[in-house]
Amino acid sequence: MMIIWMKANKLKNIEKVIIKLKKLHLEIPETFAPTSEAGSSTGETDPLSAVHDSPDMKHYKTETEDSDSDSSVDSVEGNKVNKLVDTTAERLRQHLRTVVDEKCGREYGRAVEPVDLVLVKYTGQKDNDPEKQREKLARVVDKGNELKGDITVENMFERTKIEAGDNKNQEKSVGVVGAVGVGKSTLTKVIMQKVLDKKILPNGSLVFYITVGTIDLERETDLFELLFSSLIAKGSLSIQEAEKEELINFILKDPNTVVIIDGLDEAKTENLHSYPHVLPLKPAKPMALLYNILNGKLLENAYKLVTSRITQFIDASPEYRPKFVLEILGLAPSEQKKLARCVCGEQFDRVWKILQDNPALLECCVIPVNMLMALTFLLGGGGTSGTMTVTGVYIAMLNRYIRSKHCSFEKGMNVVKKLCDLAFDGWQKNKSLFSDEDLEQFKIPLATQQAFVNAAVDSEDGLAIQILQQDKVSYFVHRSWQELLVALRLVLFMPLNEFKSFLENAFESGDLENVLKFCFGICKENVFEKARRLSPAAQFGEIEEKKNFLGLLAESKAKELSESVIESDEKLSLQKWFHLFACLNELGSDDISLPVTKLLPTIADIVGSVFSSDITNMASLYKLNNTTLKLKFVNLSFVGNALQSFGNFVQEHRVKIDDFILQHCPDEQLQFAGSFLPHVERFGVWPQFGSLRDSTDRGRKNVLTLARSIKDGLLQIDHPHQMKQLALSVIPFGDEGVSILSSGVGKVAELDMEGIGMTSVGAVKLGEHLEMETTQSMNELKISDNKVGDIGACAITKSIHKMKKLEMHKCGITSKGMPGITQNVLNSQTKIPCLDLSYNMFGDDWAQELGKCLHLVEELRLCHCDITSTGASALAGGLSKLQTPMDKLDLGNNPIGDLGAAAMSKCLSNVKSLGLGRDQSNNLVAMRFSNSVCGITSDGVSHIASGLLSLQEPMQYLDLSTNKFGDDGTKKLSKCLHQTKILDLSKCEITSTGVKALAGGLLTLQTPMHELDLSNNQIGDLGAAAMSKCLRNVKSLSLGGGQPHKLATVWYHNPGCGITSDGVSHIASGLLSLQEPMNNLDLSHNKFGDDGTKKLSKCLHQVKKLNLRKCGITSDGVAALAGGLSTLQTPMEELRLDIQLISCIDEDDFKILKSTVEKLKWG
């Protein structure tokens, strides 16, 4: 079914000239099809004119192609189209209003108030490795400032622009995933309603609503018929062929169209890989049209939203999936109560008490369809005794339905058997629409059909249930009804051998997930007693055999999950077990579950979204066999009461957790966030946790609730520093939150409070607790990006002797704070391993004072502190007095100039690592100033080179990046390469001439240099040729665009080194001559394409880590890499490729990449 609403726009010219290919992505006739994968023509024929002249495009031509020849004609025709649009829009608007009124606000026959569904960004189950997650967390910390508040219907399309980045085709696309019955279709109806009311997309001109389950996927149609099918079916739209073309042309170009595709999982999504491009008015299969809409080949300018179950969405081709995907987590606990009050009225207290007495059922009520079904069941007098399951509720409601007045005429007949046969036949054929012929095939007479199309109404409470819906064809009101009937067909009517054959691989099929759970539920003893009443034709004799088979199926799945972990030597994701846990819980048999509990993992991860029922199902199985559990990594969004259930599970079973990240939970669950902290080593809160970033009173209340919960959890910890890390960055705790949290800081080894809105008030409070409670050295304290000022900095540094690392960059510290901070450092009388004061503009005065205490600091970072040559000279004076060398001094992004370089050159023997380039920090603040330089020219390099030559031992690291000393300075450095192990010369305006000098210096080395970075210097193929001759003299070499912070591309341009395929030939030859492989080779951002990649593929055994991002590689290049990798005797350690390649890589090549590369990174 399709509904559309349109508002006319003023158009001066409505496609009077040829349809532009780039705008419409129309199918090109084979004769003129482009040959390159990028989609551009490589021949001499103009593809635009070719398409225009082709027979396939004749119905898009206008009578005259000279748009300027007759402006009056344009005006007349434009008015004609506007009138047509207005007329059509009014009909569609009325129809859409009717649909919205029918679907929104009425559930189960009773009007209910709208309830809010919990929406979060879907993150999937990728990046299970804690280190990757921490890197990702660090990136989001920087990005967090631009992402405020929860994801709502009102802001979801604004979020797409942020998430899409440079991908223009994705900036209007939203994916929505969720479990069965979680409210995906309800959400689409709400969106329609809000568009009609102009509460979202106020300029929206068209809304197309496509329900995939109501489309005949086998019958060919065109785009017009697909979009306007609802009005055509009702006879409300009758237009001429010419008008059809005008409307389609308008729709194709209109930037304010909204396309909603509901229930993509009801089609075979795996077939979406092979559909070709289609023309708008050319008949095609509906899924081909939908596919072309989703990947932007049709309606490229439209807003798009597609819903699906999670499994089917992930399994489908990434080419059509939106980059920004939301997950519906269901109803928050408060919304469950709101809905229950609305539906139950005066009976709310009674019904709610029954639900609370049946926690397993209540926990499933986070899913709206389960909630409504349970309420209807309980209002009708059900649930007075015994433990209830979701399957039990469905079976009870079906029993009530067939005994209602609608079905009374069918007594003694096999009503349910016929429906089960219909549902099963549709399931096998992937068919959700049923014609009259289908109903006749299963001998379902008109009376029976009408009975199930109507609603069964309980005379006492007025609630209604409907199973079938009819609109020229029949279909099940909700897919869960069809799934239940399929399960009944399997358990009650199918012979044992067929039952086993059908369900043999059910745990591997996403399509059978809910069917299988219903099968387990029907076999529960008290549920089966009710199920057998549904039909006298049921085969009851084999129920025990079927029940035992399901038990063996569950045990087999558990073995498979356990063995796969042993074979791959990876940690197990418990998320893979949740479906198995749910099935066993529906069955409720300890005898069947016990063999599975013996296979439960003792070490695992959990990543994704969890319902409270997931946790309780898991807990019951672990409790059954008293199995111990250690969770290595937990990164979860908690739905409903799941966080409270998780806390109880952790405490009762004494679960140990290495890493825990709280992504999301309902507001009322925040009070339980700290309940299990004594069991966690590293605890963090996801920076994009929307309700904590909300600037309203609600957000402030949530933040303080979280602070109190964390404090209470910390106070339960027995030993100092038992918690290794507490990461709270970007969450706006403010001074009040810091005051609450401070009382527990003594239990934490590493505390991250970057960007939490702390001022000097909170810093003073934190400082007091640090002095009082910390009995041993804190490993690390991060309070950067807080406006603590001079007073706050002084308060914190009073305890600097108790810290191994203190980060206070961008804290508003000025020269006025200099005396207090310097004195605190001097008073410490112990070595401070690391002090970071970058991005505080205290200038030369403080630098002079700080030079007096360099003997007490092993690593000092002073990037972008407005230090000039004067301050550098003062620091050099302090360095020269040291008896033992300082580990590191970083003066990046300070304008010290040649005089400062000269001063530092005299004391190089007193510092092991020196930064005189750009700030190398992995934070967004550093990237904003990444092009700020120290102003060192060739003259300054002369001094540094002289200083290097005087050293008795080589330096560990020297950074001179972004100083524009060019080839002249490079030649001077080439004579002292033996005096530094790592040298960063990125973005120093070096050409092939300077590289030749460096190559000459490298050839004289007796031991290889550890690392040389020449990224973002235009050395070209000649430079690449020069470096290829000395690859044996450098272990790691960067000739690419470098690897700056992921979010830094706005400020930091990565031009690469200008190396083409010819340059790669030289590098490949050099690699083949090596006796030992290089540690790392970075060739990113060089456009050598597939040709150069093929040359590199022959020498992959000579490099451990290879970066080929942004090199213009296509699937052909990846195929060559796969071929080279397949010959390796040992896997490559790391390979970096563009993430866009994922959608076009051959499946076999992808498998080779995964099996021959230890870390395959996409960026």
Side-chain angles (χ1 to χ4, degrees):
M1 183 173 60
M2 169 64 58
I3 306 100
I4 174 174
W5 171 55
M6 182 185 295
K7 172 185 174 184
N9 287 328
K10 299 291 184 181
L11 297 177
K12 294 182 179 179
N13 296 294
I14 307 295
E15 291 300 320
K16 287 187 63 64
V17 294
I18 56 175
I19 303 298
K20 294 182 180 179
L21 187 63
K22 291 183 180 179
K23 285 285 186 180
L24 298 180
H25 292 279
L26 298 176
E27 185 181 79
I28 306 172
E30 188 173 352
T31 308
F32 305 104
T35 58
S36 69
E37 286 200 23
S40 60
S41 178
T42 57
E44 305 227 1
T45 307
D46 179 5
L48 195 58
S49 62
V51 173
H52 177 249
D53 294 333
S54 70
D56 288 334
M57 292 296 293
K58 63 184 179 181
H59 57 278
Y60 288 107
K61 293 184 181 182
T62 56
E63 295 179 1
T64 173
E65 296 187 354
D66 185 3
S67 60
D68 296 325
S69 63
D70 192 349
S71 59
S72 62
V73 174
D74 289 347
S75 178
V76 171
E77 294 193 7
N79 290 334
K80 178 182 176 182
V81 172
N82 283 339
K83 184 176 180 180
L84 174 65
V85 169
D86 275 334
T87 303
T88 308
E90 184 56 34
R91 295 171 186 167
L92 296 170
R93 189 185 299 113
Q94 292 174 1
H95 183 71
L96 185 57
R97 280 285 186 191
T98 302
V99 172
V100 170
D101 290 342
E102 289 175 355
K103 299 297 182 182
C104 296
R106 292 194 67 82
E107 294 287 353
Y108 288 66
R110 176 173 295 177
V112 297
E113 296 177 17
V115 290
D116 293 329
L117 296 167
V118 179
L119 298 174
V120 298
K121 180 181 175 182
Y122 178 68
T123 57
Q125 299 182 31
K126 299 177 181 179
D127 292 339
N128 291 1
D129 179 44
E131 290 301 320
K132 293 181 182 177
Q133 283 286 352
R134 278 195 281 270
E135 290 175 10
K136 187 174 182 182
L137 188 64
R139 293 198 296 269
V140 177
V141 166
D142 294 328
K143 192 175 181 181
N145 290 326
E146 62 191 41
L147 302 175
K148 296 181 179 179
D150 288 325
I151 299 172
T152 64
V153 170
E154 287 77 12
N155 71 12
M156 65 170 61
F157 283 107
E158 290 299 319
R159 285 289 300 271
T160 61
K161 297 177 182 178
I162 298 172
E163 300 293 336
D166 296 332
N167 193 339
K168 297 298 181 183
N169 191 42
Q170 292 282 350
E171 66 180 12
K172 289 185 173 183
S173 297
V174 180
V176 178
V177 296
V180 179
V182 79
K184 298 183 293 293
S185 297
T186 300
L187 178 68
T188 62
K189 305 297 194 308
V190 170
I191 291 172
M192 280 197 298
Q193 189 174 45
K194 289 183 178 292
V195 171
L196 286 172
D197 296 338
K198 295 191 176 182
K199 292 181 178 179
I200 60 172
L201 302 177
N203 296 323
S205 57
L206 300 134
V207 176
F208 298 90
Y209 185 76
I210 305 174
T211 305
V212 177
T214 63
I215 299 173
D216 185 348
L217 300 177
E218 297 303 316
R219 188 180 73 84
E220 288 193 344
T221 185
D222 60 27
L223 181 62
F224 183 87
E225 185 178 351
L226 185 70
L227 298 178
F228 291 88
S229 59
S230 59
L231 287 184
I232 293 172
K234 294 184 177 296
S236 302
L237 184 66
S238 177
I239 63 174
Q240 302 299 317
E241 220 31 58
E243 294 176 325
K244 180 192 295 188
E245 292 180 21
E246 290 173 339
L247 274 174
I248 282 295
N249 283 340
F250 175 87
I251 292 166
L252 289 170
K253 299 286 288 182
D254 179 43
N256 296 312
T257 294
V258 182
V259 181
I260 299 172
I261 301 173
D262 187 27
L264 194 68
D265 52 294
E266 298 189 31
K268 293 290 185 182
T269 50
E270 62 268 20
N271 293 334
L272 288 175
H273 293 271
S274 57
Y275 283 116
H277 298 173
V278 296
L279 292 168
L281 294 179
K282 182 178 179 180
K285 290 291 182 67
M287 288 310 297
L289 288 165
L290 291 176
Y291 176 69
N292 277 262
I293 291 172
L294 288 170
N295 69 6
K297 306 305 180 185
L298 289 177
L299 304 176
E300 69 163 334
N301 298 317
Y303 292 95
K304 304 178 188 74
L305 183 143
V306 56
T307 73
S308 174
R309 297 189 194 184
I310 295 174
T311 303
Q312 290 84 344
F313 191 80
I314 294 173
D315 290 343
S317 168
E319 185 179 349
Y320 87 93
R321 296 201 305 256
K323 186 174 181 181
F324 181 47
V325 182
L326 302 180
E327 183 176 6
I328 303 178
L329 300 184
L331 298 167
S334 58
E335 296 300 299
Q336 292 180 44
K337 274 193 171 183
K338 178 180 176 181
L339 181 59
R341 286 184 188 278
C342 230
V343 171
C344 300
E346 295 179 355
Q347 297 191 57
F348 168 76
D349 291 335
R350 178 185 70 82
V351 170
W352 193 253
K353 185 178 186 307
I354 296 174
L355 280 175
Q356 288 181 312
D357 292 340
N358 288 268
L361 182 61
L362 179 60
E363 287 158 1
C364 295
C365 287
V366 70
I367 304 291
V369 71
N370 291 346
M371 182 71 171
L372 291 165
M373 189 69 73
L375 295 175
T376 308
F377 170 64
L378 296 174
L379 283 170
T384 54
S385 63
T387 302
M388 294 179 287
T389 63
V390 173
T391 309
V393 170
Y394 269 85
I395 294 297
M397 293 308 299
L398 188 57
N399 261 300
R400 186 186 300 178
Y401 191 99
I402 64 171
R403 285 165 176 75
S404 68
K405 61 181 180 181
H406 293 299
C407 295
S408 58
F409 63 90
E410 281 286 341
K411 285 182 179 178
M413 296 184 66
N414 236 334
V415 180
V416 173
K417 173 68 166 60
K418 295 172 183 177
L419 276 179
C420 289
D421 290 341
L422 178 70
F424 185 73
D425 183 70
W427 191 269
Q428 285 189 307
K429 297 176 180 178
N430 192 40
K431 184 177 180 180
S432 55
L433 297 179
F434 305 100
S435 63
D436 291 341
E437 289 77 12
D438 294 323
L439 298 172
E440 290 173 6
Q441 176 187 346
F442 296 101
K443 299 180 180 180
I444 300 177
L446 181 62
T448 301
Q449 177 186 343
Q450 290 300 318
F452 283 90
V453 165
N454 290 319
V457 181
D458 190 289
S459 58
E460 295 181 5
D461 55 54
L463 289 172
I465 297 175
Q466 190 179 10
I467 296 177
L468 279 175
Q469 191 162 325
Q470 195 174 49
D471 186 6
K472 293 205 169 183
V473 291
S474 300
Y475 52 92
F476 289 98
V477 171
H478 197 281
R479 184 163 175 146
S480 57
W481 276 117
Q482 184 175 4
E483 290 168 327
L484 176 72
L485 292 167
V486 170
L488 284 169
R489 169 75 161 72
L490 296 172
V491 176
L492 297 184
F493 307 114
M494 184 176 280
L496 180 61
N497 289 338
E498 293 181 28
F499 177 84
K500 290 181 177 180
S501 177
F502 188 84
L503 292 179
E504 185 177 6
N505 299 309
F507 273 111
E508 315 304 323
S509 171
D511 291 335
L512 284 173
E513 181 177 338
N514 223 36
V515 172
L516 184 61
K517 188 164 69 172
F518 276 136
C519 286
F520 274 85
I522 293 168
C523 290
K524 185 179 175 69
E525 186 174 348
N526 62 340
V527 176
F528 181 74
E529 289 303 315
K530 295 183 176 69
R532 66 187 299 174
R533 302 174 197 163
L534 293 171
S535 174
Q539 301 175 11
F540 305 127
E542 297 178 330
I543 184 62
E544 284 301 319
E545 288 85 349
K546 290 181 177 179
K547 180 178 177 180
N548 290 332
F549 172 76
L550 291 175
L552 292 174
L553 202 64
E555 186 177 355
S556 175
K557 180 62 178 178
K559 286 180 180 178
E560 176 192 325
L561 289 171
S562 300
E563 290 171 359
S564 66
V565 176
I566 296 172
E567 291 173 3
S568 61
D569 195 29
E570 293 179 353
K571 295 182 294 295
L572 176 65
S573 172
L574 272 177
Q575 208 84 351
K576 298 177 181 178
W577 289 72
F578 282 172
H579 181 215
L580 177 58
F581 294 159
C583 289
L584 291 172
N585 183 68
E586 285 290 308
L587 181 60
S589 168
D590 288 352
D591 292 338
I592 297 292
S593 298
L594 194 58
V596 173
T597 64
K598 296 177 181 178
L599 298 166
L600 291 176
T602 57
I603 299 176
D605 294 341
I606 313 181
V607 179
S609 302
V610 293
F611 296 88
S612 185
S613 54
D614 295 329
I615 303 300
T616 53
N617 292 340
M618 175 175 65
S620 64
L621 287 176
Y622 274 93
K623 183 178 180 180
L624 185 61
N625 198 32
N626 198 26
T627 306
T628 58
L629 176 63
K630 179 175 182 177
L631 296 173
K632 299 290 288 184
F633 184 66
V634 180
N635 185 359
L636 291 175
S637 291
F638 293 92
V639 187
N641 296 317
L643 182 56
Q644 182 180 4
S645 300
F646 182 81
N648 293 336
F649 169 63
V650 170
Q651 293 177 83
E652 291 173 8
H653 294 270
R654 303 194 66 78
V655 178
K656 294 297 182 183
I657 304 174
D658 286 353
D659 289 84
F660 179 93
I661 296 176
L662 175 61
Q663 278 213 3
H664 177 88
C665 71
D667 294 355
E668 51 269 48
Q669 287 285 294
L670 286 167
Q671 60 183 306
F672 303 107
S675 61
F676 49 91
L677 286 189
H679 301 266
V680 182
E681 287 192 354
R682 287 173 288 273
F683 180 93
V685 180
W686 192 245
Q688 290 187 20
F689 196 142
S691 65
L692 297 177
R693 309 282 318 280
D694 194 336
S695 58
T696 64
D697 291 341
R698 172 206 173 196
R700 191 71 196 140
K701 179 182 177 183
N702 287 341
V703 164
L704 297 179
T705 299
L706 176 63
R708 294 186 187 97
S709 180
I710 292 174
K711 180 205 72 173
D712 292 342
L714 290 173
L715 294 178
Q716 294 175 30
I717 296 176
D718 297 328
H719 307 293
H721 295 183
Q722 180 176 321
M723 176 171 279
K724 292 182 179 179
Q725 184 184 58
L726 178 60
L728 304 174
S729 56
V730 181
I731 307 302
F733 288 103
D735 292 331
E736 188 176 359
V738 171
S739 179
I740 294 170
L741 290 164
S742 295
S743 56
V745 295
K747 306 297 177 66
V748 182
E750 294 182 12
L751 180 59
D752 184 353
M753 304 180 92
E754 290 191 30
I756 63 170
M758 176 169 51
T759 70
S760 60
V761 176
V764 168
K765 193 72 175 179
L766 177 62
E768 291 174 355
H769 282 281
L770 287 170
E771 281 194 274
M772 290 187 298
E773 298 187 21
T774 308
T775 57
Q776 64 187 69
S777 295
M778 178 178 280
N779 290 342
E780 186 173 0
L781 175 61
K782 295 182 179 180
I783 60 167
S784 299
D785 208 18
N786 288 293
K787 297 179 180 180
V788 302
D790 298 327
I791 295 175
C794 289
I796 295 295
T797 53
K798 284 182 180 179
S799 302
I800 197 168
H801 59 288
K802 297 181 179 180
M803 304 175 202
K804 293 181 180 179
K805 184 176 182 179
L806 174 60
E807 288 190 11
M808 292 198 301
H809 63 255
K810 202 184 177 186
C811 284
I813 304 170
T814 70
S815 58
K816 294 179 181 179
M818 172 188 60
I821 296 173
T822 304
Q823 191 60 50
N824 288 337
V825 173
L826 291 171
N827 290 342
S828 65
Q829 297 182 352
T830 57
K831 282 274 190 178
I832 300 166
C834 182
L835 176 60
D836 184 355
L837 299 169
S838 301
Y839 300 92
N840 293 292
M841 311 304 285
F842 45 76
D844 293 332
D845 291 339
W846 195 15
Q848 292 175 356
E849 289 296 318
L850 200 54
K852 300 174 183 178
C853 53
L854 293 181
H855 61 290
L856 293 173
V857 183
E858 294 179 8
E859 179 179 339
L860 180 61
R861 300 191 71 251
L862 301 175
C863 296
H864 205 85
C865 291
D866 202 24
I867 298 171
T868 68
S869 59
T870 303
S873 298
L875 289 169
L879 282 172
S880 63
K881 297 176 182 178
L882 298 181
Q883 294 181 354
T884 57
M886 189 177 190
D887 285 345
K888 184 175 182 179
L889 174 63
D890 195 344
L891 296 175
N893 302 102
N894 285 293
I896 66 172
D898 292 338
L899 290 177
M904 296 306 300
S905 69
K906 298 175 183 178
C907 52
L908 296 182
S909 60
N910 295 92
V911 59
K912 296 177 182 179
S913 297
L914 178 62
L916 299 177
R918 65 180 175 89
D919 182 9
Q920 303 285 354
S921 297
N922 192 28
N923 65 75
L924 195 58
V925 175
M927 290 303 115
R928 289 175 181 168
F929 303 99
S930 61
N931 288 322
S932 300
V933 295
C934 291
I936 301 173
T937 69
S938 177
D939 292 339
V941 172
S942 295
H943 295 291
I944 292 173
S946 298
L948 287 170
L949 290 172
S950 67
L951 296 179
Q952 294 181 354
E953 293 184 4
M955 293 184 69
Q956 295 292 327
Y957 172 72
L958 176 61
D959 177 12
L960 295 172
S961 61
T962 67
N963 289 292
K964 301 177 181 180
F965 45 75
D967 294 335
D968 191 26
T970 305
K971 291 175 183 178
K972 296 169 183 176
L973 286 170
S974 66
K975 300 174 183 178
C976 48
L977 296 180
H978 60 290
Q979 293 290 51
T980 178
K981 295 180 180 180
I982 300 174
L983 180 59
D984 188 346
L985 300 179
S986 59
K987 208 171 185 181
C988 290
E989 298 189 354
I990 303 170
T991 69
S992 60
T993 302
V995 171
K996 289 177 182 177
L998 284 174
L1002 285 169
L1003 288 172
T1004 64
L1005 298 182
Q1006 295 181 352
T1007 57
M1009 179 180 274
H1010 287 189
E1011 184 176 341
L1012 176 61
D1013 190 345
L1014 294 172
S1015 58
N1016 297 313
N1017 289 293
Q1018 292 301 297
I1019 68 172
D1021 293 337
L1022 291 176
M1027 290 305 302
S1028 69
K1029 298 174 183 177
C1030 53
L1031 294 182
R1032 69 179 184 277
N1033 296 96
V1034 58
K1035 294 180 180 179
S1036 296
L1037 177 63
S1038 179
L1039 299 177
Q1043 298 176 27
H1045 192 280
K1046 183 176 181 180
L1047 300 175
T1049 52
V1050 176
W1051 299 281
Y1052 191 72
H1053 179 53
N1054 303 330
C1057 289
I1059 300 172
T1060 70
S1061 177
D1062 291 339
V1064 173
S1065 295
H1066 294 292
I1067 293 171
S1069 297
L1071 287 171
L1072 289 173
S1073 68
L1074 296 179
Q1075 294 181 353
E1076 293 183 2
M1078 295 184 68
N1079 288 341
N1080 186 23
L1081 177 61
D1082 180 5
L1083 294 172
S1084 60
H1085 293 265
N1086 291 294
K1087 307 300 182 182
F1088 46 75
D1090 293 336
D1091 191 28
T1093 306
K1094 291 174 183 177
K1095 296 170 183 176
L1096 285 171
S1097 66
K1098 299 175 183 178
C1099 48
L1100 297 179
H1101 60 289
Q1102 294 289 52
V1103 60
K1104 296 178 182 179
K1105 297 181 181 180
L1106 181 61
N1107 187 350
L1108 297 179
R1109 290 184 61 247
K1110 306 294 182 183
C1111 291
I1113 302 173
T1114 71
S1115 57
D1116 288 344
V1118 176
L1121 288 173
L1125 288 166
S1126 64
T1127 65
L1128 298 184
Q1129 295 181 351
T1130 57
M1132 178 180 279
E1133 289 184 12
E1134 181 177 300
L1135 175 63
R1136 289 176 178 262
L1137 295 170
D1138 291 327
I1139 194 169
Q1140 291 85 352
L1141 288 171
I1142 293 179
S1143 63
C1144 63
I1145 295 177
D1146 180 81
E1147 186 175 345
D1148 292 335
D1149 292 337
F1150 191 68
K1151 288 179 180 178
I1152 293 174
L1153 261 62
K1154 290 183 68 176
S1155 62
T1156 57
V1157 181
E1158 292 179 2
K1159 290 184 179 180
L1160 185 59
K1161 295 188 176 182
W1162 306 93

